[in-house]
């Protein structure tokens, strides 16, 4: 039996009809066509599907769509402002922290979840924040450097850094 879900995503109100077993990642991608969130393992291991749920990074394959009723979700589509990339996105670009890009939406959202609450994270905090996100390509070094750079950009007030989960 279909259930109606009402949820705010990236500041806009969405409604969807889903089955009780529908996963959040599938509602985002298949029903609402927000395909920036990637789907990989679907068992909570890879982190490609990471989004912010009420400001907390979660693996959206581990959440049923009906659980987010009336809540706030931020996906990778919500990071940029207009045509301006978020400082985290710019830092990933500048540090070559992207190769195939499959892990990237999840890495960006895990980083965003960290940097919203911790403006000057240690390398240890950065590594912990992305410890649930697998990357097969980069070896992680450039990703860690990009997150350090993103933190500095956000502290300096670079455009887009004031953006909050809406
Ligand atoms: S698809 Fe969700 S953790 Fe891999
Ligand atoms: S860039 Fe390919 S999996 Fe991370």
């Amino acid at each position: 039996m279909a259930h109606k879900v009402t949820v705010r995503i990236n500041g806009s109100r969405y409604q969807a009809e889903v089955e009780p077993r529908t996963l959040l990642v599938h509602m985002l991608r298949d029903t609402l066509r927000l395909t920036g969130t990637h789907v990989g393992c679907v068992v909570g291991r890879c982190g490609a599907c990471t989004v912010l749920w009420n400001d907390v990074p979660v693996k959206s394959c581990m959440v049923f769509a009906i659980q987010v009723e009336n809540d706030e979700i931020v996906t990778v589509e919500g990071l940029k402002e207009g045509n301006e990339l978020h400082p985290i996105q710019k830092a990933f670009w500048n540090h070559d922290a992207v190769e195939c890009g499959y892990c990237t939406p999840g890495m960006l959202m895990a980083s965003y979840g960290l940097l919203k609450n911790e403006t000057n994270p240690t390398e240890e905090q950065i590594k912990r924040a992305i410890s649930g996100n697998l990357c097969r390509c980069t070896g992680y070094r450039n990703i860690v450097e990009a997150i350090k750079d993103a933190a500095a950009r956000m502290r300096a007030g670079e455009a887009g850094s004031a953006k909050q989960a809406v």
Side-chain angles (χ1 to χ4, degrees):
M1 190 174 118
H3 286 249
K4 192 173 279 184
V5 176
T6 303
V7 58
R8 282 183 74 78
I9 304 172
N10 304 330
S12 298
R13 185 171 174 272
Y14 286 83
Q15 281 196 322
E17 296 225 337
V18 297
E19 293 180 28
R21 65 179 180 166
T22 302
L23 301 175
L24 176 57
V25 68
H26 290 141
M27 181 179 80
L28 291 171
R29 288 181 53 86
D30 302 337
T31 309
L32 303 178
R33 306 306 297 160
L34 291 165
T35 54
T37 301
H38 286 172
V39 59
C41 64
V42 203
V43 290
R45 295 210 176 128
C46 74
C49 63
T50 303
V51 299
L52 262 57
W53 177 14
N54 292 340
D55 264 1
V56 177
V58 295
K59 294 171 177 176
S60 58
C61 71
M62 293 283 97
V63 178
F64 289 115
I66 56 174
Q67 290 179 270
V68 304
E69 172 75 15
N70 292 325
D71 287 343
E72 303 273 353
I73 300 291
V74 183
T75 70
V76 71
E77 289 94 341
L79 278 185
K80 68 180 173 64
E81 281 183 354
N83 290 326
E84 185 81 17
L85 291 178
H86 189 278
I88 303 174
Q89 293 171 306
K90 292 179 191 169
F92 268 62
W93 177 275
N94 286 346
H95 286 267
D96 289 330
V98 178
E99 289 190 26
C100 79
Y102 207 85
C103 70
T104 306
M107 286 288 184
L108 291 170
M109 298 315 294
S111 306
Y112 185 48
L114 169 68
L115 297 179
K116 276 174 60 65
N117 298 311
E118 178 53 71
T119 58
N120 194 12
T122 63
E123 187 160 314
E124 202 47 49
Q125 286 174 305
I126 291 172
K127 288 179 178 173
R128 198 174 315 125
I130 60 167
S131 61
N133 296 72
L134 300 181
C135 178
R136 298 188 309 174
C137 308
T138 65
Y140 299 97
R141 189 68 248 163
N142 290 1
I143 292 174
V144 171
E145 292 305 317
I147 297 169
K148 286 184 197 170
D149 181 23
R153 288 166 183 260
M154 292 170 72
R155 286 197 303 277
E158 190 170 291
S161 18
K163 188 173 177 63
Q164 296 291 309
V166 279

PDB file of all heavy atoms in Angstrom, residues 91-103:
ATOM      1  N   ALA A  91      36.969  23.039  -3.359  1.00  0.00           N
ATOM      2  CA  ALA A  91      38.193  22.461  -2.796  1.00  0.00           C
ATOM      3  C   ALA A  91      38.431  21.054  -3.366  1.00  0.00           C
ATOM      4  O   ALA A  91      39.575  20.694  -3.684  1.00  0.00           O
ATOM      5  CB  ALA A  91      38.091  22.424  -1.273  1.00  0.00           C
ATOM      6  N   PHE A  92      37.379  20.271  -3.504  1.00  0.00           N
ATOM      7  CA  PHE A  92      37.538  18.933  -4.101  1.00  0.00           C
ATOM      8  C   PHE A  92      38.068  19.057  -5.528  1.00  0.00           C
ATOM      9  O   PHE A  92      38.937  18.294  -5.967  1.00  0.00           O
ATOM     10  CB  PHE A  92      36.203  18.171  -4.091  1.00  0.00           C
ATOM     11  CG  PHE A  92      35.992  17.322  -2.865  1.00  0.00           C
ATOM     12  CD1 PHE A  92      35.923  17.906  -1.601  1.00  0.00           C
ATOM     13  CD2 PHE A  92      35.852  15.951  -2.957  1.00  0.00           C
ATOM     14  CE1 PHE A  92      35.726  17.123  -0.455  1.00  0.00           C
ATOM     15  CE2 PHE A  92      35.664  15.161  -1.831  1.00  0.00           C
ATOM     16  CZ  PHE A  92      35.598  15.751  -0.585  1.00  0.00           C
ATOM     17  N   TRP A  93      37.534  20.022  -6.255  1.00  0.00           N
ATOM     18  CA  TRP A  93      37.971  20.257  -7.642  1.00  0.00           C
ATOM     19  C   TRP A  93      39.446  20.636  -7.659  1.00  0.00           C
ATOM     20  O   TRP A  93      40.254  20.077  -8.407  1.00  0.00           O
ATOM     21  CB  TRP A  93      37.094  21.370  -8.232  1.00  0.00           C
ATOM     22  CG  TRP A  93      37.457  21.791  -9.618  1.00  0.00           C
ATOM     23  CD1 TRP A  93      38.398  22.706  -9.981  1.00  0.00           C
ATOM     24  CD2 TRP A  93      36.888  21.294 -10.841  1.00  0.00           C
ATOM     25  NE1 TRP A  93      38.432  22.823 -11.343  1.00  0.00           N
ATOM     26  CE2 TRP A  93      37.521  21.971 -11.891  1.00  0.00           C
ATOM     27  CE3 TRP A  93      35.883  20.362 -11.130  1.00  0.00           C
ATOM     28  CZ2 TRP A  93      37.199  21.739 -13.228  1.00  0.00           C
ATOM     29  CZ3 TRP A  93      35.561  20.135 -12.447  1.00  0.00           C
ATOM     30  CH2 TRP A  93      36.220  20.807 -13.477  1.00  0.00           C
ATOM     31  N   ASN A  94      39.819  21.592  -6.810  1.00  0.00           N
ATOM     32  CA  ASN A  94      41.181  22.119  -6.847  1.00  0.00           C
ATOM     33  C   ASN A  94      42.225  21.112  -6.369  1.00  0.00           C
ATOM     34  O   ASN A  94      43.390  21.214  -6.743  1.00  0.00           O
ATOM     35  CB  ASN A  94      41.279  23.397  -5.993  1.00  0.00           C
ATOM     36  CG  ASN A  94      40.613  24.564  -6.682  1.00  0.00           C
ATOM     37  OD1 ASN A  94      40.319  24.503  -7.879  1.00  0.00           O
ATOM     38  ND2 ASN A  94      40.335  25.625  -5.951  1.00  0.00           N
ATOM     39  N   HIS A  95      41.831  20.181  -5.533  1.00  0.00           N
ATOM     40  CA  HIS A  95      42.787  19.204  -4.995  1.00  0.00           C
ATOM     41  C   HIS A  95      42.746  17.870  -5.733  1.00  0.00           C
ATOM     42  O   HIS A  95      43.322  16.895  -5.253  1.00  0.00           O
ATOM     43  CB  HIS A  95      42.533  18.989  -3.502  1.00  0.00           C
ATOM     44  CG  HIS A  95      43.000  20.144  -2.662  1.00  0.00           C
ATOM     45  ND1 HIS A  95      44.254  20.199  -2.089  1.00  0.00           N
ATOM     46  CD2 HIS A  95      42.396  21.306  -2.347  1.00  0.00           C
ATOM     47  CE1 HIS A  95      44.392  21.337  -1.435  1.00  0.00           C
ATOM     48  NE2 HIS A  95      43.278  22.033  -1.569  1.00  0.00           N
ATOM     49  N   ASP A  96      42.069  17.828  -6.865  1.00  0.00           N
ATOM     50  CA  ASP A  96      41.949  16.555  -7.595  1.00  0.00           C
ATOM     51  C   ASP A  96      41.441  15.449  -6.678  1.00  0.00           C
ATOM     52  O   ASP A  96      41.948  14.314  -6.699  1.00  0.00           O
ATOM     53  CB  ASP A  96      43.288  16.136  -8.211  1.00  0.00           C
ATOM     54  CG  ASP A  96      43.667  17.022  -9.381  1.00  0.00           C
ATOM     55  OD1 ASP A  96      42.750  17.527 -10.061  1.00  0.00           O
ATOM     56  OD2 ASP A  96      44.875  17.214  -9.609  1.00  0.00           O
ATOM     57  N   ALA A  97      40.457  15.790  -5.863  1.00  0.00           N
ATOM     58  CA  ALA A  97      39.924  14.812  -4.913  1.00  0.00           C
ATOM     59  C   ALA A  97      38.817  13.969  -5.542  1.00  0.00           C
ATOM     60  O   ALA A  97      38.094  13.273  -4.829  1.00  0.00           O
ATOM     61  CB  ALA A  97      39.410  15.543  -3.669  1.00  0.00           C
ATOM     62  N   VAL A  98      38.696  14.072  -6.854  1.00  0.00           N
ATOM     63  CA  VAL A  98      37.678  13.332  -7.600  1.00  0.00           C
ATOM     64  C   VAL A  98      38.354  12.600  -8.751  1.00  0.00           C
ATOM     65  O   VAL A  98      39.112  13.210  -9.508  1.00  0.00           O
ATOM     66  CB  VAL A  98      36.615  14.297  -8.181  1.00  0.00           C
ATOM     67  CG1 VAL A  98      35.594  13.533  -8.999  1.00  0.00           C
ATOM     68  CG2 VAL A  98      35.947  15.113  -7.078  1.00  0.00           C
ATOM     69  N   GLU A  99      38.111  11.314  -8.862  1.00  0.00           N
ATOM     70  CA  GLU A  99      38.561  10.604 -10.076  1.00  0.00           C
ATOM     71  C   GLU A  99      37.319  10.109 -10.806  1.00  0.00           C
ATOM     72  O   GLU A  99      36.732  10.837 -11.582  1.00  0.00           O
ATOM     73  CB  GLU A  99      39.577   9.529  -9.724  1.00  0.00           C
ATOM     74  CG  GLU A  99      40.905  10.177  -9.300  1.00  0.00           C
ATOM     75  CD  GLU A  99      42.057   9.225  -9.161  1.00  0.00           C
ATOM     76  OE1 GLU A  99      42.073   8.165  -9.801  1.00  0.00           O
ATOM     77  OE2 GLU A  99      42.971   9.555  -8.382  1.00  0.00           O
ATOM     78  N   CYS A 100      36.843   8.900 -10.515  1.00  0.00           N
ATOM     79  CA  CYS A 100      35.630   8.460 -11.221  1.00  0.00           C
ATOM     80  C   CYS A 100      34.404   9.228 -10.760  1.00  0.00           C
ATOM     81  O   CYS A 100      33.432   9.361 -11.487  1.00  0.00           O
ATOM     82  CB  CYS A 100      35.404   6.963 -11.056  1.00  0.00           C
ATOM     83  SG  CYS A 100      34.666   6.506  -9.461  1.00  0.00           S
ATOM     84  N   GLY A 101      34.447   9.729  -9.515  1.00  0.00           N
ATOM     85  CA  GLY A 101      33.352  10.551  -9.009  1.00  0.00           C
ATOM     86  C   GLY A 101      32.218   9.773  -8.356  1.00  0.00           C
ATOM     87  O   GLY A 101      31.269  10.386  -7.875  1.00  0.00           O
ATOM     88  N   TYR A 102      32.341   8.453  -8.315  1.00  0.00           N
ATOM     89  CA  TYR A 102      31.197   7.713  -7.787  1.00  0.00           C
ATOM     90  C   TYR A 102      30.985   7.982  -6.297  1.00  0.00           C
ATOM     91  O   TYR A 102      29.862   8.137  -5.833  1.00  0.00           O
ATOM     92  CB  TYR A 102      31.329   6.192  -8.040  1.00  0.00           C
ATOM     93  CG  TYR A 102      29.957   5.596  -8.098  1.00  0.00           C
ATOM     94  CD1 TYR A 102      29.233   5.594  -9.284  1.00  0.00           C
ATOM     95  CD2 TYR A 102      29.329   5.147  -6.945  1.00  0.00           C
ATOM     96  CE1 TYR A 102      27.926   5.142  -9.326  1.00  0.00           C
ATOM     97  CE2 TYR A 102      28.020   4.692  -6.982  1.00  0.00           C
ATOM     98  CZ  TYR A 102      27.338   4.690  -8.177  1.00  0.00           C
ATOM     99  OH  TYR A 102      26.040   4.258  -8.220  1.00  0.00           O
ATOM    100  N   CYS A 103      32.071   8.082  -5.572  1.00  0.00           N
ATOM    101  CA  CYS A 103      31.952   8.316  -4.129  1.00  0.00           C
ATOM    102  C   CYS A 103      31.695   9.784  -3.795  1.00  0.00           C
ATOM    103  O   CYS A 103      31.380  10.111  -2.652  1.00  0.00           O
ATOM    104  CB  CYS A 103      33.249   7.891  -3.431  1.00  0.00           C
ATOM    105  SG  CYS A 103      34.660   8.985  -3.779  1.00  0.00           S
TER     106      CYS A 103
END
